[in-house]
Amino acid sequence: MRTKVGHFVFQGELTVDPDNKTNMKIKPPTTYREQVEIFKTRNLHIKNSESAENYLQRVNYYRLSAYAITLKDPLNKENYKDNSTFEELTSLYEFDRRLRLLLLGVLETIEIAFRTHISYETAHKYGPLGYKDKENFTNEKFHKESLDELDTLISRSRKGELFIEHHFKNYSGHIPIWAAIEVTSFGYISKFYRNLNEDLKKHIAKVYYNVPYLYLESWLQTLSNVRNVCAHYGRLYNKKLTFKPRLFKEDIRRFNNQKVYAAIYIIQRLLTRVERKRFLIELETLIQEYEEHIDYSHIGFPNNWRELLNNKHK
């Protein structure tokens, strides 16, 4: 049977692009009920098919299947390990969803604090508009690109942000660093900091975070990426970090820097004592709730993860 939809012609599992004359074998869509049956035929135990079907109406089968990879039988990757259940699969998904929400909260705290530190110190060392002077940065090309990006962000913010329009009306569009920084992203301030002159980078890293600036550069890059993953509902469970953070020698021996635990570890080092205490309580509560289903190796947690996170660094 041939069915034409828009630009493509569908023939069972065969999709034909009439322009490129390319045949692509793509699986046909399945109903929610069929998706439940696929799970069953692959050895995933489902107590209540109707409940599973309702869940799949809210969470895409393809999205959920990414979490099911850890439940696959290593000898037969088409099937799930014996005694694997749909409840176990959804628990992994819900754990990851709640972990993202927890991390988003503390990453917001870290991002806002860093915006404050970088704008305050830049303004006091170079002046309100010193961020426009290429002499205050290490790479002229990156500085120009940074200014171009900031101009775009400021232009987009004129209609929605009163403080930006205020500076256009009263100061001919000259916006001091402490105002301009508020329209930027975590990724932007990470790159901004990396390009600052070394003496100012050292000062900010020492005064506010008590770490060498090379570590802070790396940590900000890692956390800005983790923040984007969380904000766009990406997966943290059983996934490697895109940007692996630089770790101290003693930490490298304790855990690897490829999984989310490494990000969690540097997060707690960048929080104040009160913020850290609250975060660790919430994290431990979350871990305890899902401990039956999660595998520590898939999130990079060492056996003594509580002890390491509760060490005092400040």
Side-chain angles (χ1 to χ4, degrees):
M1 177 180 176
R2 293 167 56 89
T3 304
K4 187 171 183 179
V5 180
H7 188 61
F8 296 93
V9 177
F10 295 88
Q11 296 175 302
E13 290 196 11
L14 187 65
T15 304
V16 181
D17 181 344
D19 286 347
N20 295 327
K21 308 300 181 184
T22 301
N23 295 337
M24 300 174 292
K25 287 189 176 180
I26 299 179
K27 296 178 181 179
T30 55
T31 66
Y32 298 122
R33 182 170 299 177
E34 288 171 336
Q35 291 167 12
V36 171
E37 292 305 314
I38 291 172
F39 276 134
K40 285 182 176 180
T41 59
R42 293 179 178 172
N43 201 36
L44 188 69
H45 180 65
I46 298 178
K47 286 183 180 179
N48 188 317
S49 296
E50 183 179 355
S51 177
E53 189 176 332
N54 289 336
Y55 195 91
L56 289 168
Q57 290 179 26
R58 293 180 292 111
V59 180
N60 190 335
Y61 172 90
Y62 191 76
R63 178 181 182 83
L64 193 61
S65 295
Y67 295 86
I69 292 173
T70 60
L71 305 179
K72 289 292 183 72
D73 185 340
L75 300 179
N76 181 4
K77 297 192 180 294
E78 282 296 312
N79 288 346
Y80 297 97
K81 292 179 286 188
D82 290 342
N83 303 316
S84 296
T85 67
F86 189 75
E87 289 72 22
E88 183 178 7
L89 172 56
T90 56
S91 289
L92 293 178
Y93 178 80
E94 293 300 329
F95 166 74
D96 197 52
R97 182 183 66 82
R98 290 178 57 184
L99 179 61
R100 289 196 304 270
L101 290 174
L102 174 59
L103 296 188
L104 265 180
V106 289
L107 288 171
E108 176 187 333
T109 298
I110 290 170
E111 179 182 348
I112 290 175
F114 191 74
R115 284 188 192 184
T116 302
H117 302 154
I118 199 172
S119 61
Y120 180 92
E121 297 298 339
T122 301
H124 281 79
K125 185 171 181 63
Y126 301 134
L129 301 178
Y131 67 94
K132 295 187 175 185
D133 188 346
K134 65 183 180 182
E135 298 301 320
N136 299 328
F137 296 84
T138 60
N139 187 299
E140 183 177 343
K141 177 177 180 290
F142 290 163
H143 175 250
K144 182 181 183 307
E145 291 173 352
S146 174
L147 285 183
D148 290 343
E149 182 179 351
L150 185 57
D151 285 342
T152 299
L153 293 172
I154 289 172
S155 296
R156 290 175 180 172
S157 301
R158 284 194 66 174
K159 292 182 179 179
E161 297 292 355
L162 294 178
F163 70 93
I164 294 294
E165 187 59 27
H166 167 77
H167 282 85
F168 273 93
K169 288 182 177 179
N170 296 284
Y171 301 100
S172 302
H174 296 299
I175 303 176
I177 181 64
W178 56 82
I181 203 76
E182 290 302 320
V183 302
T184 64
S185 66
F186 203 152
Y188 182 92
I189 60 174
S190 172
K191 292 183 290 184
F192 185 93
Y193 176 76
R194 184 182 292 269
N195 199 33
L196 277 173
N197 282 341
E198 190 173 297
D199 58 344
L200 185 52
K201 286 195 290 190
K202 285 181 177 179
H203 175 76
I204 293 172
K206 178 65 177 176
V207 169
Y208 296 103
Y209 304 101
N210 195 30
V211 295
Y213 79 87
L214 289 174
Y215 288 86
L216 187 56
E217 280 184 349
S218 171
W219 294 359
L220 290 171
Q221 185 179 37
T222 296
L223 296 186
S224 67
N225 181 258
V226 171
R227 185 265 173 203
N228 287 340
V229 171
C230 293
H232 294 91
Y233 323 117
R235 177 166 51 90
L236 297 172
Y237 190 81
N238 192 37
K239 194 170 183 180
K240 292 182 180 180
L241 296 175
T242 301
F243 298 106
K244 297 177 288 187
R246 179 190 292 260
L247 297 176
F248 295 104
K249 288 182 179 179
E250 61 269 24
D251 294 330
I252 292 174
R253 292 193 294 267
R254 293 166 176 164
F255 56 91
N256 70 57
N257 63 348
Q258 295 184 314
K259 295 295 180 68
V260 70
Y261 180 81
I264 290 172
Y265 183 77
I266 60 178
I267 282 172
Q268 59 87 27
R269 289 198 61 152
L270 297 178
L271 296 171
T272 65
R273 183 177 303 176
V274 173
E275 292 164 349
R276 183 190 303 118
K277 182 178 180 180
R278 185 184 305 118
F279 169 59
L280 294 182
I281 289 173
E282 293 177 352
L283 177 65
E284 185 159 0
T285 300
L286 178 62
I287 295 290
Q288 287 177 344
E289 183 175 345
Y290 290 93
E291 201 162 21
E292 178 184 354
H293 299 296
I294 60 178
D295 183 331
Y296 283 169
S297 68
H298 294 315
I299 47 178
F301 276 48
N303 292 331
N304 61 337
W305 65 270
R306 290 180 178 86
E307 177 187 341
L308 295 179
L309 293 181
N310 279 288
N311 281 342
K312 303 295 186 293
H313 302 285
K314 295 183 180 180

